[in-house]
Amino acid sequence: MRPSLLDPLFAPVTALDGVGTKLAGLLARIVPADLGEREPRVGDLLFVLPHSIIDRRNRPGVARAAEGAIVTLELHVDRHQPSPRGRANVPYRVFAHDESGEIALTFFHAKQAWLEKLLPVGSQVLVSGRMEWFNGRPSMVHPDHVVPAAEAASLPLVEPVYPLTAGLSPRILRRILQQALDRLPDMPEWLDGELKRRHSFPGFDQALMRLHNPSDALDVSPDNAARRRLTYDEFLAGQLSLAMMRARIRKLSGRPLTGDGRLVDRIRAALPYALTGSQEQALAEIEADLARPERMLRLLQGDVGAGKTVVALLAMARAAEADTQAVLMAPTEILARQHFATIAPLAAQAGLKCAVLTGREKGRERTETLAGLADGSINFVVGTHALFQESVNYRNLGLAIVDEQHRFGVHQRLAMTAKGEAPDMLVMTATPIPRTLVLTAFGDMDVSRLTEKPAGRRPIQTVTLPLERLDDLIERLRSAISEGQKVYWICPLVEESEEMKLMSVEDRFASLKKIFGSQVGLVHGRMKGAEKDAAMQAFKNGDTRILVATTVIEVGVDVPDATIIVIEHAERFGLAQLHQLRGRVGRGDKASTCLLLYKGPLGETAKRRLSVMRETEDGFVISEEDLKLRGEGELLGTRQSGTPGFLVARIEAHADLLETARNDARLVLERDPELRGERGQALRLLLYLFGRDEAVRLLRAG
């Protein structure tokens, strides 16, 4: 049961004065919480934080007020000049002065009686708003505040600026937020006293009050102590819930998977190359995990072409030695089939049977695969989410490997847990994720990193080229193709769009076909599976020499003799994606080139991105840069894909607090795994506040 102390914050926003269903709908657009289907609650409003302030302390006098500045003026009201009768488009003006000059206060569609009451002739008033100079004469259109000079104390000197949406005025939002703050109960402290002192953190309620009632610009910056306090709370809630989920999954009776090494040795003998040092290291870590009775939860991070698939295959062989089955799940059908093409022949050399299962397998083929998984005659299966549908049963599933984890979420991880006796889990990603993000999205996992490229891989030369030089590029491609080279050409869109003047993959295919004829192939996400496979096969076989594609080929497509990749409108792609795409070439022993075609003029961020791509091929360096340029939300795809969308925290500004929160969470659960002690009870409130209710439910489920 949720503690009754929190009831005021879990009430719907419509419980506040003056908030009906229409306003509730507008508030839903600005609260940072991922609401899903539910309506916003009072507690969600606490985290609608100001991003800047309006400072009304600037009082320069009329003559010295700068164009566009927000100023506060003390004025004597001289006369009213109403709009001429029948000409509502002419504004109503009120003329006033101070010792430095005269100003016109301008109002459109205003009621005369209301203005005469607000600004009586002969009165002294304080007026605050944005200055405008029109034909050398000062004016202020619709001042933000007008108060009698005697009531100067009621004028807000510093006003917070909140995110808004059409139909929601700052004044109404401010009134609603104040009501939400008034409902904040007196919370017990859940932070460790020493940590709180070391970081100069205020209390939770003090932090909220300070952020919502700033006295200067520093009060709304990400670096101030109030913001950092709430960030730490959010990180701690996240790390606690991940650690609790991990403890729960670990409790689900893992079992040791050990073997005699004969199958692993056979596959190693069949490999045409030796493993790199970091592959050996990762494999040793995985084998040690498999041998333990607890379940493995490990993230294998390796840059494009670092050889993750081979490590996965050797882990699968170890599972087979322990007489269990292994699955490898990929996010797309193209990638699943490619993994299958790599794994099946090597598995066969060790006498192991491998099958493929995607949404495309039908009829007899599917029935046979399902029967083989159920009776155990199939050792390995590679596929898409189809592997975890209701109809699929395994005789003895020991290891589940997920490729490109960020395409799936924590929920799918739990769905897999339901298959088999809680299989060991290995998650692979070629998107190099900065350490800070690994902690937030995968805090419940141990991490192995592949940092070397396999022997014989040549560096990739990266060149930027403006679209105006397209003709030079075409000439260069002519000579490359006559020498037998293969080219990828990537476009951002499938078909032409009205909104964006970008080259679509279909238009580019048509224009290249005129020049290169039947040597050009096409692949995009809207094609049927069989068409995609045929186009990929033709490119692999060399029947086509240029493959025009969208980013379908971003992940894992393997054509070792493709040596050139052209990325059109490169300024439109994120760094991580550009790096992924570049990794499609340079997979063989020939020198490769990546050409980034851009349309000028470039913004600062796009310029920086393209220069980072020219400077380095190290995916981990690139991912740290990407984080600085884009923030965490986009780096792992969207918030919906199971990545953490933060309410308060900004990874790029607050990364230093994350490690502390992780250690704190682990220590808390070591001392008080059920959160029953005094601090534990307070931490339960924290979990509810930051929407981590599922973690509290795990406690109850034991």
Side-chain angles (χ1 to χ4, degrees):
M1 288 287 289
R2 185 176 65 234
S4 55
L5 180 69
L6 294 176
D7 289 350
L9 300 181
F10 276 74
V13 290
T14 46
L16 299 172
D17 290 345
V19 181
T21 48
K22 185 179 173 209
L23 252 182
L26 295 175
L27 292 169
R29 291 187 196 163
I30 62 161
V31 299
D34 193 357
L35 296 175
E37 296 299 304
R38 71 173 175 84
E39 59 177 36
R41 302 178 186 132
V42 173
D44 296 326
L45 297 175
L46 300 177
F47 301 114
V48 176
L49 297 176
H51 50 75
S52 54
I53 60 162
I54 296 172
D55 190 339
R56 300 195 182 281
R57 292 173 295 192
N58 181 17
R59 296 187 171 202
V62 171
R64 290 177 294 281
E67 165 79 39
I70 300 260
V71 297
T72 299
L73 305 170
E74 185 167 345
L75 302 171
H76 179 86
V77 181
D78 297 323
R79 61 196 165 92
H80 283 234
Q81 183 183 310
S83 314
R85 195 182 289 276
R87 293 185 59 193
N89 59 334
V90 177
Y92 188 117
R93 289 193 172 90
V94 178
F95 292 94
H97 75 276
D98 65 8
E99 72 277 8
S100 74
E102 187 183 52
I103 186 168
L105 306 176
T106 306
F107 300 87
F108 289 89
H109 309 294
K111 299 268 187 292
Q112 182 168 350
W114 176 74
L115 282 175
E116 285 172 347
K117 191 176 168 194
L118 183 71
L119 293 156
V121 172
S123 64
Q124 288 289 117
V125 289
L126 273 182
V127 176
S128 188
R130 190 175 298 281
M131 275 304 282
E132 291 182 22
W133 287 78
F134 191 67
N135 291 338
R137 304 182 69 150
S139 85
M140 189 181 284
V141 180
H142 288 278
D144 302 329
H145 296 274
V146 177
V147 298
E151 294 170 27
S154 68
L155 180 80
L157 293 179
V158 176
E159 269 184 297
V161 181
Y162 290 95
L164 287 173
T165 185
L168 184 62
S169 77
R171 197 161 294 176
I172 289 173
L173 177 61
R174 185 100 180 95
R175 184 174 56 73
I176 294 169
L177 293 178
Q178 193 51 56
Q179 284 189 66
L181 285 167
D182 292 343
R183 289 187 169 223
L184 185 63
D186 194 12
M187 298 280 193
E189 182 54 80
W190 46 72
L191 291 191
D192 170 69
E194 172 52 30
L195 177 131
K196 190 178 166 193
R197 191 187 59 72
R198 199 167 65 242
H199 287 276
S200 312
F201 286 155
F204 177 74
D205 47 353
Q206 291 167 294
L208 280 171
M209 295 302 173
R210 181 169 168 200
L211 286 169
H212 284 286
N213 299 292
S215 56
D216 58 41
L218 183 66
D219 285 348
V220 294
S221 91
D223 300 329
N224 84 51
R227 181 85 183 224
R228 283 173 64 82
R229 154 80 208 223
L230 295 184
T231 293
Y232 188 78
D233 287 337
E234 182 165 27
F235 283 160
L236 183 58
Q239 293 302 310
L240 262 177
S241 69
L242 280 170
M244 283 151 75
M245 185 185 283
R246 178 190 189 118
R248 169 109 175 116
I249 289 177
R250 286 264 157 103
K251 249 197 232 173
L252 287 169
S253 61
R255 56 195 157 153
L257 300 184
T258 52
D260 54 12
R262 67 201 156 77
L263 298 176
V264 173
D265 290 346
R266 274 190 216 159
I267 289 175
R268 278 178 177 264
L271 292 174
Y273 48 79
L275 298 187
T276 64
S278 58
Q279 279 175 312
E280 292 285 12
Q281 165 82 26
L283 197 60
E285 289 166 351
I286 290 165
E287 289 186 341
D289 279 359
L290 292 176
R292 292 193 188 99
E294 300 84 18
R295 285 185 70 206
M296 168 167 80
L297 273 176
R298 185 168 284 279
L299 176 69
L300 178 62
Q301 274 192 277
D303 213 338
V304 179
K308 292 179 298 298
T309 315
V310 171
V311 174
L313 172 60
L314 292 167
M316 290 162 89
R318 174 62 56 147
E321 288 175 3
D323 196 29
T324 65
Q325 294 161 294
V327 304
L328 171 54
M329 178 158 103
T332 64
E333 202 171 300
I334 284 190
L335 191 51
R337 292 187 180 281
Q338 194 166 298
H339 278 318
F340 177 69
T342 308
I343 284 172
L346 288 165
Q349 302 242 16
L352 295 165
K353 189 172 178 196
C354 185
V356 66
L357 186 64
T358 65
R360 206 162 99 201
E361 273 64 44
K362 299 275 186 287
R364 205 176 110 200
E365 187 184 6
R366 184 179 178 84
T367 311
E368 284 175 3
T369 300
L370 292 180
L373 292 174
D375 67 20
S377 57
I378 292 176
N379 306 92
F380 304 159
V381 58
V382 181
T384 53
H385 324 64
L387 295 169
F388 291 97
Q389 284 164 353
E390 300 269 314
S391 56
V392 186
N393 292 302
Y394 299 87
R395 183 183 73 79
N396 188 3
L397 181 59
L399 175 63
I401 300 176
V402 184
D403 195 14
E404 290 306 325
Q405 154 75 29
H406 64 282
R407 304 290 172 94
F408 307 103
V410 174
H411 310 294
Q412 284 98 327
R413 288 208 318 248
L414 294 173
M416 285 183 217
T417 302
K419 293 272 174 198
E421 295 293 300
D424 284 310
M425 286 204 63
L426 178 66
V427 165
M428 307 196 294
T429 176
T431 308
I433 307 170
R435 169 147 181 78
T436 45
L437 273 188
V438 170
L439 287 180
T440 58
F442 311 105
D444 55 335
M445 296 190 173
D446 299 306
V447 182
S448 296
R449 286 174 96 160
L450 299 181
T451 50
E452 308 160 64
K453 290 241 169 121
R457 288 278 170 97
R458 301 271 294 273
I460 302 167
Q461 187 194 4
T462 302
V463 182
T464 49
L465 202 66
L467 269 167
E468 292 78 45
R469 291 186 50 199
L470 192 64
D471 294 348
D472 301 354
L473 173 60
I474 298 287
E475 281 313 307
R476 182 169 169 189
L477 293 186
R478 268 189 218 275
S479 60
I481 287 169
S482 65
E483 292 164 15
Q485 296 189 50
K486 287 184 191 170
V487 182
Y488 288 112
W489 190 303
I490 309 299
C491 300
L493 302 176
V494 174
E495 52 197 42
E496 200 180 351
S497 100
E498 286 297 306
E499 299 83 76
M500 293 198 260
K501 295 284 172 252
L502 303 179
M503 178 58 81
S504 78
V505 65
E506 287 171 346
D507 294 345
R508 181 56 72 206
F509 172 65
S511 71
L512 290 173
K513 210 167 168 55
K514 284 182 192 150
I515 304 168
F516 296 101
S518 62
Q519 289 184 301
V520 189
L522 172 68
V523 155
H524 59 72
R526 292 195 198 154
M527 290 162 68
K528 292 196 167 66
E531 294 175 325
K532 275 192 241 176
D533 284 359
M536 285 305 306
Q537 207 49 53
F539 185 58
K540 259 190 146 153
N541 298 345
D543 306 335
T544 54
R545 289 276 157 191
I546 299 180
L547 184 64
V548 183
T550 52
T551 56
V552 230
I553 67 132
E554 170 189 350
V555 177
V557 174
D558 197 18
V559 180
D561 55 349
T563 50
I564 298 174
I565 184 164
V566 177
I567 304 173
E568 191 162 355
H569 287 294
E571 75 280 2
R572 289 269 165 178
F573 294 93
L575 259 178
Q577 200 174 27
L578 288 172
H579 178 63
Q580 285 277 345
L581 288 166
R582 172 167 65 183
R584 297 301 115 225
V585 296
R587 300 175 87 89
D589 50 9
K590 291 197 172 66
S592 293
T593 311
C594 169
L595 289 147
L596 303 173
L597 265 184
Y598 65 88
K599 185 170 172 39
L602 292 177
E604 278 312 306
T605 305
K607 256 189 213 146
R608 179 80 196 112
R609 255 184 220 149
L610 298 185
S611 71
V612 169
M613 286 295 291
R614 280 201 308 268
E615 289 157 16
T616 180
E617 262 193 83
D618 183 325
F620 292 104
V621 171
I622 285 172
S623 73
E624 297 288 354
E625 278 296 325
D626 207 15
L627 184 60
K628 285 181 205 153
L629 291 174
R630 294 204 287 173
E632 84 286 343
E634 287 182 58
L635 199 58
L636 293 173
T638 61
R639 194 189 279 189
Q640 280 69 29
S641 65
T643 64
F646 289 113
L647 307 182
V648 184
R650 294 281 168 273
I651 288 280
E652 57 279 23
H654 300 132
D656 61 308
L657 294 173
L658 193 50
E659 192 91 41
T660 315
R662 186 188 200 196
N663 296 336
D664 194 1
R666 286 186 163 178
L667 194 62
V668 165
L669 292 178
E670 271 171 33
R671 291 176 179 168
D672 183 10
E674 298 297 316
L675 298 186
R676 293 193 191 285
E678 190 181 342
R679 186 180 178 200
Q681 293 289 348
L683 284 165
R684 287 177 178 232
L685 296 174
L686 171 72
L687 290 168
Y688 277 114
L689 272 173
F690 282 97
R692 302 288 182 170
D693 325 27
E694 79 275 8
V696 187
R697 281 198 292 278
L698 280 182
L699 278 179
R700 290 207 299 274

